[in-house]
Amino acid sequence: SQQGEEDPQALSIQEGENATMNCSYKTSINNLQWYRQNSGRGLVHLILIRSNEREKHSGRLRVTLDTSKKSSSLLITASRAADTASYFCATDWFTGGGNKLTFGTGTQLKVEL
Amino acid sequence: DSGVTQTPKHLITATGQRVTLRCSPRSGDLSVYWYQQSLDQGLQFLIQYYNGEERAKGNILERFSAQQFPDLHSELNLSSLELGDSALYFCASSSRGLNTEAFFGQGTRLTVV
């Protein structure tokens, strides 16, 4: 089963609005990462937040992490049509000597003009 | 360009056949991950290698195998292919250490007919 589950599955907003996506996970983690995927293409790393951090910013992105609730959120402010993509959270966690980077189910974001 | 190269980009083959997917990680990256992305299963972690050794295993079928060579490139072998193996297969690499992002290739789209 997936380590992370994202909510909502799909989100449609107008350009200029903010978009918020949530991610819940199941086990202890080293860090949580957010990735973006344009249709059928490779994933692109957006931001990484360590397990001892609570909030992180990068440009128009703001990520929060609540390890007690095993949840994270990604906020994209002042969205643009070019932000249209699928967004995935990924949890980095140790298992038997290696680390797994396990992805959630993704949120499909559509930003309309 | 992520620096991760996957070949081939597209592959069409018949059921029962065997194929090999190749991945060249970013220069200097020791970790290689393989993922399968299909519409119904999402992005599934298959396996991770670190400097030639298998480190973590996910939902990889027994018909599938992988290895990482001394020059750090990796190959994913899929045998006795079934229609349900049709998917995008991604390779990602990351550098040594904790809390590092993964860089994804553009994927190999496998179609089993």
Side-chain angles (χ1 to χ4, degrees), chain A residues 42, chain B residues 4-10 21-24 33-35 88-92 104-109:
Chain B
V4 178
T5 303
Q6 288 187 250
T7 57
K9 286 188 171 53
H10 301 275
L21 312 184
R22 182 188 168 101
C23 169
S24 294
Y33 304 80
W34 285 98
Y35 293 86
L88 263 171
Y89 290 85
F90 286 106
C91 165
F104 278 76
Q106 290 301 302
T108 292
R109 183 172 293 280

PDB file of all heavy atoms in Angstrom, chain A residues 42, chain B residues 4-10 21-24 33-35 88-92 104-109:
ATOM      1  N   GLY A  42       8.680  12.904 -16.366  1.00  0.00           N
ATOM      2  CA  GLY A  42       9.353  12.593 -15.114  1.00  0.00           C
ATOM      3  C   GLY A  42       8.969  13.547 -14.004  1.00  0.00           C
ATOM      4  O   GLY A  42       8.506  14.655 -14.239  1.00  0.00           O
TER       5      GLY A  42
ATOM      6  N   VAL B   4      19.447  12.405 -15.357  1.00  0.00           N
ATOM      7  CA  VAL B   4      19.191  10.963 -15.326  1.00  0.00           C
ATOM      8  C   VAL B   4      18.679  10.562 -16.710  1.00  0.00           C
ATOM      9  O   VAL B   4      17.714  11.147 -17.204  1.00  0.00           O
ATOM     10  CB  VAL B   4      18.147  10.601 -14.258  1.00  0.00           C
ATOM     11  CG1 VAL B   4      17.859   9.102 -14.282  1.00  0.00           C
ATOM     12  CG2 VAL B   4      18.632  11.041 -12.879  1.00  0.00           C
ATOM     13  N   THR B   5      19.311   9.572 -17.292  1.00  0.00           N
ATOM     14  CA  THR B   5      18.969   9.149 -18.646  1.00  0.00           C
ATOM     15  C   THR B   5      18.381   7.750 -18.625  1.00  0.00           C
ATOM     16  O   THR B   5      18.969   6.831 -18.048  1.00  0.00           O
ATOM     17  CB  THR B   5      20.210   9.159 -19.555  1.00  0.00           C
ATOM     18  OG1 THR B   5      20.781  10.463 -19.534  1.00  0.00           O
ATOM     19  CG2 THR B   5      19.827   8.802 -20.984  1.00  0.00           C
ATOM     20  N   GLN B   6      17.228   7.622 -19.259  1.00  0.00           N
ATOM     21  CA  GLN B   6      16.585   6.316 -19.371  1.00  0.00           C
ATOM     22  C   GLN B   6      16.428   5.958 -20.840  1.00  0.00           C
ATOM     23  O   GLN B   6      16.043   6.798 -21.651  1.00  0.00           O
ATOM     24  CB  GLN B   6      15.206   6.317 -18.717  1.00  0.00           C
ATOM     25  CG  GLN B   6      15.247   6.367 -17.210  1.00  0.00           C
ATOM     26  CD  GLN B   6      13.872   6.186 -16.604  1.00  0.00           C
ATOM     27  OE1 GLN B   6      13.298   7.120 -16.047  1.00  0.00           O
ATOM     28  NE2 GLN B   6      13.338   4.969 -16.697  1.00  0.00           N
ATOM     29  N   THR B   7      16.716   4.718 -21.137  1.00  0.00           N
ATOM     30  CA  THR B   7      16.495   4.217 -22.490  1.00  0.00           C
ATOM     31  C   THR B   7      15.874   2.835 -22.445  1.00  0.00           C
ATOM     32  O   THR B   7      16.109   2.072 -21.496  1.00  0.00           O
ATOM     33  CB  THR B   7      17.827   4.136 -23.273  1.00  0.00           C
ATOM     34  OG1 THR B   7      18.745   3.311 -22.539  1.00  0.00           O
ATOM     35  CG2 THR B   7      18.423   5.506 -23.505  1.00  0.00           C
ATOM     36  N   PRO B   8      15.029   2.485 -23.406  1.00  0.00           N
ATOM     37  CA  PRO B   8      14.498   3.378 -24.439  1.00  0.00           C
ATOM     38  C   PRO B   8      13.377   4.246 -23.890  1.00  0.00           C
ATOM     39  O   PRO B   8      12.939   4.051 -22.760  1.00  0.00           O
ATOM     40  CB  PRO B   8      13.962   2.390 -25.478  1.00  0.00           C
ATOM     41  CG  PRO B   8      13.511   1.219 -24.664  1.00  0.00           C
ATOM     42  CD  PRO B   8      14.480   1.112 -23.519  1.00  0.00           C
ATOM     43  N   LYS B   9      12.907   5.183 -24.662  1.00  0.00           N
ATOM     44  CA  LYS B   9      11.788   6.028 -24.235  1.00  0.00           C
ATOM     45  C   LYS B   9      10.464   5.281 -24.367  1.00  0.00           C
ATOM     46  O   LYS B   9       9.565   5.442 -23.541  1.00  0.00           O
ATOM     47  CB  LYS B   9      11.740   7.307 -25.063  1.00  0.00           C
ATOM     48  CG  LYS B   9      12.808   8.305 -24.708  1.00  0.00           C
ATOM     49  CD  LYS B   9      12.606   9.619 -25.422  1.00  0.00           C
ATOM     50  CE  LYS B   9      13.539  10.706 -24.918  1.00  0.00           C
ATOM     51  NZ  LYS B   9      14.948  10.335 -24.926  1.00  0.00           N
ATOM     52  N   HIS B  10      10.355   4.504 -25.420  1.00  0.00           N
ATOM     53  CA  HIS B  10       9.140   3.741 -25.672  1.00  0.00           C
ATOM     54  C   HIS B  10       9.515   2.314 -26.034  1.00  0.00           C
ATOM     55  O   HIS B  10      10.543   2.093 -26.680  1.00  0.00           O
ATOM     56  CB  HIS B  10       8.318   4.330 -26.821  1.00  0.00           C
ATOM     57  CG  HIS B  10       7.892   5.737 -26.592  1.00  0.00           C
ATOM     58  ND1 HIS B  10       6.751   6.062 -25.890  1.00  0.00           N
ATOM     59  CD2 HIS B  10       8.443   6.908 -26.974  1.00  0.00           C
ATOM     60  CE1 HIS B  10       6.625   7.371 -25.857  1.00  0.00           C
ATOM     61  NE2 HIS B  10       7.628   7.911 -26.499  1.00  0.00           N
ATOM     62  N   LEU B  21      15.272  -2.462 -19.314  1.00  0.00           N
ATOM     63  CA  LEU B  21      15.239  -1.010 -19.268  1.00  0.00           C
ATOM     64  C   LEU B  21      16.538  -0.533 -18.626  1.00  0.00           C
ATOM     65  O   LEU B  21      16.996  -1.112 -17.638  1.00  0.00           O
ATOM     66  CB  LEU B  21      14.044  -0.523 -18.442  1.00  0.00           C
ATOM     67  CG  LEU B  21      12.692  -1.150 -18.762  1.00  0.00           C
ATOM     68  CD1 LEU B  21      11.596  -0.502 -17.929  1.00  0.00           C
ATOM     69  CD2 LEU B  21      12.369  -1.086 -20.225  1.00  0.00           C
ATOM     70  N   ARG B  22      17.075   0.530 -19.187  1.00  0.00           N
ATOM     71  CA  ARG B  22      18.376   0.996 -18.727  1.00  0.00           C
ATOM     72  C   ARG B  22      18.286   2.388 -18.130  1.00  0.00           C
ATOM     73  O   ARG B  22      17.507   3.219 -18.591  1.00  0.00           O
ATOM     74  CB  ARG B  22      19.355   0.992 -19.892  1.00  0.00           C
ATOM     75  CG  ARG B  22      20.763   1.403 -19.529  1.00  0.00           C
ATOM     76  CD  ARG B  22      21.628   1.562 -20.768  1.00  0.00           C
ATOM     77  NE  ARG B  22      22.883   2.219 -20.433  1.00  0.00           N
ATOM     78  CZ  ARG B  22      24.036   1.587 -20.266  1.00  0.00           C
ATOM     79  NH1 ARG B  22      24.098   0.280 -20.414  1.00  0.00           N
ATOM     80  NH2 ARG B  22      25.133   2.247 -19.966  1.00  0.00           N
ATOM     81  N   CYS B  23      19.104   2.614 -17.119  1.00  0.00           N
ATOM     82  CA  CYS B  23      19.120   3.914 -16.443  1.00  0.00           C
ATOM     83  C   CYS B  23      20.554   4.326 -16.161  1.00  0.00           C
ATOM     84  O   CYS B  23      21.331   3.552 -15.567  1.00  0.00           O
ATOM     85  CB  CYS B  23      18.334   3.819 -15.134  1.00  0.00           C
ATOM     86  SG  CYS B  23      18.515   5.254 -14.042  1.00  0.00           S
ATOM     87  N   SER B  24      20.886   5.550 -16.541  1.00  0.00           N
ATOM     88  CA  SER B  24      22.173   6.141 -16.162  1.00  0.00           C
ATOM     89  C   SER B  24      21.902   7.237 -15.165  1.00  0.00           C
ATOM     90  O   SER B  24      21.229   8.225 -15.494  1.00  0.00           O
ATOM     91  CB  SER B  24      22.888   6.697 -17.395  1.00  0.00           C
ATOM     92  OG  SER B  24      23.238   5.660 -18.272  1.00  0.00           O
ATOM     93  N   TYR B  33      16.853   4.354  -7.839  1.00  0.00           N
ATOM     94  CA  TYR B  33      15.534   3.828  -7.502  1.00  0.00           C
ATOM     95  C   TYR B  33      14.796   3.497  -8.790  1.00  0.00           C
ATOM     96  O   TYR B  33      14.929   4.205  -9.788  1.00  0.00           O
ATOM     97  CB  TYR B  33      14.687   4.878  -6.766  1.00  0.00           C
ATOM     98  CG  TYR B  33      15.285   5.462  -5.516  1.00  0.00           C
ATOM     99  CD1 TYR B  33      16.238   6.474  -5.580  1.00  0.00           C
ATOM    100  CD2 TYR B  33      14.860   5.040  -4.254  1.00  0.00           C
ATOM    101  CE1 TYR B  33      16.767   7.030  -4.432  1.00  0.00           C
ATOM    102  CE2 TYR B  33      15.380   5.604  -3.104  1.00  0.00           C
ATOM    103  CZ  TYR B  33      16.334   6.592  -3.199  1.00  0.00           C
ATOM    104  OH  TYR B  33      16.848   7.153  -2.050  1.00  0.00           O
ATOM    105  N   TRP B  34      13.974   2.479  -8.735  1.00  0.00           N
ATOM    106  CA  TRP B  34      13.079   2.156  -9.854  1.00  0.00           C
ATOM    107  C   TRP B  34      11.627   2.230  -9.378  1.00  0.00           C
ATOM    108  O   TRP B  34      11.290   1.743  -8.279  1.00  0.00           O
ATOM    109  CB  TRP B  34      13.348   0.758 -10.411  1.00  0.00           C
ATOM    110  CG  TRP B  34      14.567   0.658 -11.243  1.00  0.00           C
ATOM    111  CD1 TRP B  34      15.806   0.227 -10.860  1.00  0.00           C
ATOM    112  CD2 TRP B  34      14.685   0.994 -12.641  1.00  0.00           C
ATOM    113  NE1 TRP B  34      16.675   0.275 -11.915  1.00  0.00           N
ATOM    114  CE2 TRP B  34      16.017   0.737 -13.023  1.00  0.00           C
ATOM    115  CE3 TRP B  34      13.785   1.475 -13.606  1.00  0.00           C
ATOM    116  CZ2 TRP B  34      16.484   0.943 -14.318  1.00  0.00           C
ATOM    117  CZ3 TRP B  34      14.245   1.682 -14.886  1.00  0.00           C
ATOM    118  CH2 TRP B  34      15.586   1.417 -15.238  1.00  0.00           C
ATOM    119  N   TYR B  35      10.791   2.824 -10.230  1.00  0.00           N
ATOM    120  CA  TYR B  35       9.370   2.957  -9.941  1.00  0.00           C
ATOM    121  C   TYR B  35       8.545   2.531 -11.147  1.00  0.00           C
ATOM    122  O   TYR B  35       8.984   2.670 -12.287  1.00  0.00           O
ATOM    123  CB  TYR B  35       9.000   4.413  -9.622  1.00  0.00           C
ATOM    124  CG  TYR B  35       9.584   4.926  -8.343  1.00  0.00           C
ATOM    125  CD1 TYR B  35      10.863   5.478  -8.310  1.00  0.00           C
ATOM    126  CD2 TYR B  35       8.860   4.865  -7.149  1.00  0.00           C
ATOM    127  CE1 TYR B  35      11.398   5.945  -7.127  1.00  0.00           C
ATOM    128  CE2 TYR B  35       9.391   5.339  -5.966  1.00  0.00           C
ATOM    129  CZ  TYR B  35      10.660   5.868  -5.963  1.00  0.00           C
ATOM    130  OH  TYR B  35      11.189   6.334  -4.785  1.00  0.00           O
ATOM    131  N   LEU B  88       4.449   3.180 -17.164  1.00  0.00           N
ATOM    132  CA  LEU B  88       5.655   4.010 -17.253  1.00  0.00           C
ATOM    133  C   LEU B  88       6.621   3.530 -16.179  1.00  0.00           C
ATOM    134  O   LEU B  88       6.216   3.364 -15.016  1.00  0.00           O
ATOM    135  CB  LEU B  88       5.308   5.472 -16.972  1.00  0.00           C
ATOM    136  CG  LEU B  88       5.076   6.420 -18.136  1.00  0.00           C
ATOM    137  CD1 LEU B  88       4.540   7.741 -17.631  1.00  0.00           C
ATOM    138  CD2 LEU B  88       6.332   6.619 -18.945  1.00  0.00           C
ATOM    139  N   TYR B  89       7.842   3.307 -16.549  1.00  0.00           N
ATOM    140  CA  TYR B  89       8.858   2.887 -15.575  1.00  0.00           C
ATOM    141  C   TYR B  89       9.871   4.020 -15.439  1.00  0.00           C
ATOM    142  O   TYR B  89      10.479   4.451 -16.407  1.00  0.00           O
ATOM    143  CB  TYR B  89       9.533   1.597 -16.034  1.00  0.00           C
ATOM    144  CG  TYR B  89       8.592   0.424 -15.952  1.00  0.00           C
ATOM    145  CD1 TYR B  89       7.708   0.148 -16.992  1.00  0.00           C
ATOM    146  CD2 TYR B  89       8.554  -0.376 -14.819  1.00  0.00           C
ATOM    147  CE1 TYR B  89       6.814  -0.901 -16.909  1.00  0.00           C
ATOM    148  CE2 TYR B  89       7.665  -1.438 -14.727  1.00  0.00           C
ATOM    149  CZ  TYR B  89       6.805  -1.684 -15.772  1.00  0.00           C
ATOM    150  OH  TYR B  89       5.906  -2.728 -15.692  1.00  0.00           O
ATOM    151  N   PHE B  90      10.008   4.465 -14.193  1.00  0.00           N
ATOM    152  CA  PHE B  90      10.911   5.576 -13.923  1.00  0.00           C
ATOM    153  C   PHE B  90      12.110   5.108 -13.126  1.00  0.00           C
ATOM    154  O   PHE B  90      12.012   4.251 -12.242  1.00  0.00           O
ATOM    155  CB  PHE B  90      10.204   6.664 -13.100  1.00  0.00           C
ATOM    156  CG  PHE B  90       9.215   7.480 -13.867  1.00  0.00           C
ATOM    157  CD1 PHE B  90       7.859   7.296 -13.682  1.00  0.00           C
ATOM    158  CD2 PHE B  90       9.644   8.438 -14.761  1.00  0.00           C
ATOM    159  CE1 PHE B  90       6.934   8.052 -14.392  1.00  0.00           C
ATOM    160  CE2 PHE B  90       8.730   9.204 -15.477  1.00  0.00           C
ATOM    161  CZ  PHE B  90       7.376   9.012 -15.294  1.00  0.00           C
ATOM    162  N   CYS B  91      13.208   5.715 -13.431  1.00  0.00           N
ATOM    163  CA  CYS B  91      14.417   5.568 -12.651  1.00  0.00           C
ATOM    164  C   CYS B  91      14.704   6.930 -11.997  1.00  0.00           C
ATOM    165  O   CYS B  91      14.427   7.975 -12.598  1.00  0.00           O
ATOM    166  CB  CYS B  91      15.563   5.163 -13.575  1.00  0.00           C
ATOM    167  SG  CYS B  91      17.195   5.331 -12.889  1.00  0.00           S
ATOM    168  N   ALA B  92      15.206   6.889 -10.790  1.00  0.00           N
ATOM    169  CA  ALA B  92      15.603   8.122 -10.113  1.00  0.00           C
ATOM    170  C   ALA B  92      16.944   7.875  -9.440  1.00  0.00           C
ATOM    171  O   ALA B  92      17.279   6.734  -9.098  1.00  0.00           O
ATOM    172  CB  ALA B  92      14.564   8.541  -9.083  1.00  0.00           C
ATOM    173  N   PHE B 104      14.630  12.437 -11.255  1.00  0.00           N
ATOM    174  CA  PHE B 104      13.960  11.432 -12.071  1.00  0.00           C
ATOM    175  C   PHE B 104      14.336  11.542 -13.542  1.00  0.00           C
ATOM    176  O   PHE B 104      14.499  12.648 -14.076  1.00  0.00           O
ATOM    177  CB  PHE B 104      12.445  11.583 -11.954  1.00  0.00           C
ATOM    178  CG  PHE B 104      11.883  10.923 -10.733  1.00  0.00           C
ATOM    179  CD1 PHE B 104      12.021  11.505  -9.484  1.00  0.00           C
ATOM    180  CD2 PHE B 104      11.224   9.702 -10.818  1.00  0.00           C
ATOM    181  CE1 PHE B 104      11.514  10.893  -8.344  1.00  0.00           C
ATOM    182  CE2 PHE B 104      10.708   9.088  -9.689  1.00  0.00           C
ATOM    183  CZ  PHE B 104      10.863   9.684  -8.454  1.00  0.00           C
ATOM    184  N   GLY B 105      14.426  10.379 -14.184  1.00  0.00           N
ATOM    185  CA  GLY B 105      14.513  10.350 -15.621  1.00  0.00           C
ATOM    186  C   GLY B 105      13.146  10.576 -16.233  1.00  0.00           C
ATOM    187  O   GLY B 105      12.138  10.699 -15.522  1.00  0.00           O
ATOM    188  N   GLN B 106      13.107  10.617 -17.556  1.00  0.00           N
ATOM    189  CA  GLN B 106      11.852  10.881 -18.256  1.00  0.00           C
ATOM    190  C   GLN B 106      10.983   9.634 -18.412  1.00  0.00           C
ATOM    191  O   GLN B 106       9.860   9.707 -18.873  1.00  0.00           O
ATOM    192  CB  GLN B 106      12.131  11.490 -19.627  1.00  0.00           C
ATOM    193  CG  GLN B 106      12.661  12.908 -19.550  1.00  0.00           C
ATOM    194  CD  GLN B 106      11.685  13.830 -18.824  1.00  0.00           C
ATOM    195  OE1 GLN B 106      10.538  13.980 -19.207  1.00  0.00           O
ATOM    196  NE2 GLN B 106      12.152  14.459 -17.744  1.00  0.00           N
ATOM    197  N   GLY B 107      11.541   8.502 -18.019  1.00  0.00           N
ATOM    198  CA  GLY B 107      10.731   7.285 -18.010  1.00  0.00           C
ATOM    199  C   GLY B 107      10.803   6.488 -19.296  1.00  0.00           C
ATOM    200  O   GLY B 107      11.159   7.010 -20.356  1.00  0.00           O
ATOM    201  N   THR B 108      10.474   5.218 -19.176  1.00  0.00           N
ATOM    202  CA  THR B 108      10.293   4.338 -20.327  1.00  0.00           C
ATOM    203  C   THR B 108       8.838   3.907 -20.333  1.00  0.00           C
ATOM    204  O   THR B 108       8.344   3.371 -19.331  1.00  0.00           O
ATOM    205  CB  THR B 108      11.189   3.087 -20.231  1.00  0.00           C
ATOM    206  OG1 THR B 108      12.552   3.471 -20.356  1.00  0.00           O
ATOM    207  CG2 THR B 108      10.827   2.089 -21.328  1.00  0.00           C
ATOM    208  N   ARG B 109       8.167   4.179 -21.429  1.00  0.00           N
ATOM    209  CA  ARG B 109       6.770   3.750 -21.539  1.00  0.00           C
ATOM    210  C   ARG B 109       6.732   2.377 -22.180  1.00  0.00           C
ATOM    211  O   ARG B 109       7.105   2.214 -23.346  1.00  0.00           O
ATOM    212  CB  ARG B 109       5.949   4.733 -22.378  1.00  0.00           C
ATOM    213  CG  ARG B 109       4.465   4.343 -22.453  1.00  0.00           C
ATOM    214  CD  ARG B 109       3.618   5.395 -23.122  1.00  0.00           C
ATOM    215  NE  ARG B 109       3.526   6.631 -22.361  1.00  0.00           N
ATOM    216  CZ  ARG B 109       2.719   6.822 -21.319  1.00  0.00           C
ATOM    217  NH1 ARG B 109       1.933   5.847 -20.904  1.00  0.00           N
ATOM    218  NH2 ARG B 109       2.685   7.986 -20.721  1.00  0.00           N
TER     219      ARG B 109
END
